[in-house]
């Protein structure tokens, strides 16, 4: 990116029958957003026109057939497909999944080829997007397979960052999946992300236990004492400020989470239930650990309100801001660390 250029934000539209396009269009109704970034939406003129008409939104878009024709100070729309597609607001349909994937594939390709700087994804439906080309449990897993690095899902606000040791897996597989190696990997991913992506020089991280009351000394399970605690002690020996395991039921209610820069939950709902209780509608899903930056809002397709004009774009806007902030922070970190002076032994 050249010095005076704005950040190129690629945007995939998610399920065309959900609220994704609505929250995108609402965000760029405010022309001041174009002073911060150059948005590039991957969809089609026809599909956005349907949503604009139904929702009475007047955001102007600049339709192009290739990214090379995108221009600053406009909401650019790359036509990924040109055929007429039926929109059935609030319904889970095969075409909803098909075109969500086409948008995501085009945006991911642009990200890999450095044609965009960051990616912000609108919500998909994890069921109807399944196909020969998408056999993943969500965006995070798809992007990990298509980009470089190991992923860590972090749900975040300015004050709260919760990462997941295990992600989109059945609850019955959680205990057997949690190993010393996995915990070390996810702790390191969060630790490094807090440093390079959020400019926290010495991160302080809390790790939650797996079993109720962290197993109560083996009465309610042994994993906390046999796997988690020894792993954290090993990590602490490397001079990392990583603490736990903490009993998840009291950790958030007591306000203990406010004392840490990052928190690692053992499984999806252990982290997301308190996060959404505290922050729903204003949070961001950030995929850490990969060589490219991706964020998304903290909610799903919201079929129940699709097409009604009721969707809030707060979380999407926060995802946009976060992607840009992380891009700047990571660029600065890479610049500062690329030519380190060697120290004499």
């Amino acid at each position: 990116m050249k010095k005076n250029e704005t950040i190129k934000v690629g945007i995939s539209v998610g399920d065309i029958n959900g609220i994704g396009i609505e929250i995108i269009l609402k965000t760029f109704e405010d022309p001041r957003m174009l002073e911060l970034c150059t948005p590039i939406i991957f969809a089609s003129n026809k599909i956005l026109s349907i949503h604009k008409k139904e929702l009475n939104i007047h955001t102007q878009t600049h339709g192009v057939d290739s990214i090379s024709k995108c221009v600053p100070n406009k909401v650019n729309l790359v036509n990924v497909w040109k055929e007429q597609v039926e929109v059935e607001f609030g319904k889970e349909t095969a075409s909803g999944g098909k075109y969500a994937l086409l948008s995501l594939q085009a945006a991911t390709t642009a990200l890999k080829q450095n044609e965009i700087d960051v990616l912000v994804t609108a919500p998909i439906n994890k069921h109807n997007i399944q196909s020969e080309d998408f056999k993943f449990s969500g965006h995070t897993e798809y992007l990990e397979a298509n980009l470089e690095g190991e992923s860590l899902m972090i749900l975040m606000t300015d004050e709260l960052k919760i990462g997941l040791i295990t992600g989109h897996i059945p609850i019955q597989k959680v205990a057997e999946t949690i190993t010393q190696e996995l915990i070390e990997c996810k702790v390191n991913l969060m630790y490094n992300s807090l440093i390079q992506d959020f400019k926290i020089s010495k991160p302080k991280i809390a790790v939650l236990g797996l079993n109720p009351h962290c197993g109560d000394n083996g009465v309610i399970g042994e994993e906390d004492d046999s796997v988690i605690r020894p792993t954290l002690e090993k990590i602490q020996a490397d001079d990392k400020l990583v603490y736990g395991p903490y009993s998840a039921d009291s950790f958030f209610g007591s306000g203990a989470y406010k004392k840490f820069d990052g928190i690692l939950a053992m499984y999806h709902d252990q982290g997301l239930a308190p996060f959404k209780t505290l922050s729903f509608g204003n949070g961001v899903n950030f995929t850490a650990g990969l060589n490219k930056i991706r964020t998304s809002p903290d909610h799903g397709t919201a079929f129940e309100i699709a097409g009604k004009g009721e969707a809030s774009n707060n979380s999407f806007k926060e995802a946009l801001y976060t992607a840009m902030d992380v891009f700047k922070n990571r660029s600065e970190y890479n610049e500062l660390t690329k030519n380190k002076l060697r120290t004499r032994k």
Side-chain angles (χ1 to χ4, degrees):
M1 191 177 77
K2 296 178 182 178
K3 186 174 181 181
N4 295 321
E5 286 182 339
T6 56
I7 295 172
K8 296 183 180 70
V9 180
I11 301 169
S12 61
V13 297
D15 196 297
I16 59 172
N17 298 323
I19 64 169
I21 293 176
E22 177 181 348
I23 59 178
I24 294 167
L25 292 173
K26 282 182 174 178
T27 296
F28 293 106
E29 277 186 307
D30 185 346
R32 294 174 297 179
M33 296 299 296
L34 300 179
E35 298 173 11
L36 304 175
C37 67
T38 298
I40 302 172
I41 303 169
F42 293 84
S44 79
N45 276 319
K46 293 177 181 178
I47 210 78
L48 260 70
S49 294
I50 293 171
H51 283 256
K52 288 180 189 180
K53 183 178 180 180
E54 182 70 24
L55 298 164
N56 194 30
I57 297 176
H58 303 290
T59 304
Q60 295 297 309
T61 54
H62 173 63
V64 296
D65 292 325
S66 67
I67 297 177
S68 62
K69 296 179 181 178
C70 292
V71 296
N73 301 313
K74 290 186 182 293
V75 181
N76 296 280
L77 171 64
V78 176
N79 281 288
V80 179
W81 65 87
K82 295 185 178 179
E83 65 268 24
Q84 187 70 44
V85 179
E86 183 180 5
V87 175
E88 299 179 72
F89 287 106
K91 293 184 179 181
E92 180 185 321
T93 66
S95 64
K98 173 184 175 181
Y99 290 101
L101 180 55
L102 287 176
S103 175
L104 178 60
Q105 287 174 324
T108 303
T109 297
L111 188 64
K112 291 169 67 175
Q113 296 177 350
N114 297 316
E115 294 176 308
I116 56 177
D117 297 312
V118 299
L119 172 61
V120 181
T121 60
I124 58 172
N125 178 288
K126 293 181 177 64
H127 178 251
N128 69 3
I129 199 172
Q130 298 298 318
S131 67
E132 287 300 313
D133 295 322
F134 192 99
K135 296 180 178 179
F136 304 94
S137 53
H139 277 115
T140 303
E141 294 78 11
Y142 172 82
L143 292 169
E144 183 177 56
N146 282 276
L147 300 172
E148 297 174 17
E150 294 183 83
S151 68
L152 172 67
M153 182 189 295
I154 298 179
L155 277 291
M156 58 165 288
T157 64
D158 288 340
E159 297 81 25
L160 178 62
K161 295 175 179 66
I162 302 179
L164 303 179
I165 300 288
T166 62
H168 294 121
I169 65 172
I171 197 74
Q172 66 179 7
K173 294 184 179 180
V174 169
E176 66 187 57
T177 303
I178 294 172
T179 62
Q180 176 177 315
E181 293 74 21
L182 181 63
I183 295 170
E184 287 189 66
C185 173
K186 298 299 184 180
V187 167
N188 287 331
L189 288 172
M190 172 163 271
Y191 190 86
N192 293 334
S193 179
L194 290 171
I195 292 172
Q196 70 171 5
D197 298 331
F198 300 102
K199 302 177 76 171
I200 300 171
S201 59
K202 191 70 173 176
K204 187 178 178 183
I205 297 172
V207 178
L208 303 183
L210 172 65
N211 296 297
H213 312 299
C214 293
D216 264 345
N217 296 314
V219 176
I220 319 177
E222 299 178 351
E223 292 87 355
D224 295 275
D225 290 328
S226 64
V227 179
I228 300 172
R229 201 179 306 278
T231 304
L232 299 186
E233 290 172 354
K234 179 183 177 183
I235 295 170
Q236 289 163 2
D238 290 333
D239 198 31
K240 288 185 171 71
L241 304 180
V242 179
Y243 303 97
Y246 292 100
S247 183
D249 62 345
S250 60
F251 183 80
F252 293 97
S254 67
Y257 69 92
K258 298 177 183 178
K259 300 176 182 178
F260 295 91
D261 301 304
I263 300 154
L264 282 166
M266 285 293 141
Y267 55 92
H268 186 277
D269 284 15
Q270 186 189 55
L272 268 65
F275 178 83
K276 292 190 175 184
T277 300
L278 293 166
S279 309
F280 189 69
N282 295 295
V284 175
N285 183 346
F286 166 52
T287 305
L290 302 181
N291 65 320
K292 301 292 184 180
I293 295 161
R294 171 262 175 170
T295 63
S296 73
D298 67 353
H299 56 73
T301 56
F303 283 148
E304 66 277 8
I305 60 171
K308 298 179 181 179
E310 299 175 3
S312 168
N313 65 317
N314 286 346
S315 183
F316 182 85
K317 189 181 289 187
E318 289 299 323
L320 194 70
Y321 292 149
T322 298
M324 292 188 287
D325 287 343
V326 170
F327 179 80
K328 293 173 185 175
N329 291 343
R330 192 178 291 189
S331 297
E332 180 180 320
Y333 177 84
N334 290 337
E335 186 66 27
L336 291 171
T337 58
K338 70 178 181 181
N339 291 316
K340 284 186 175 180
L341 291 174
R342 292 184 179 180
T343 57
R344 291 183 179 181
K345 295 183 179 180

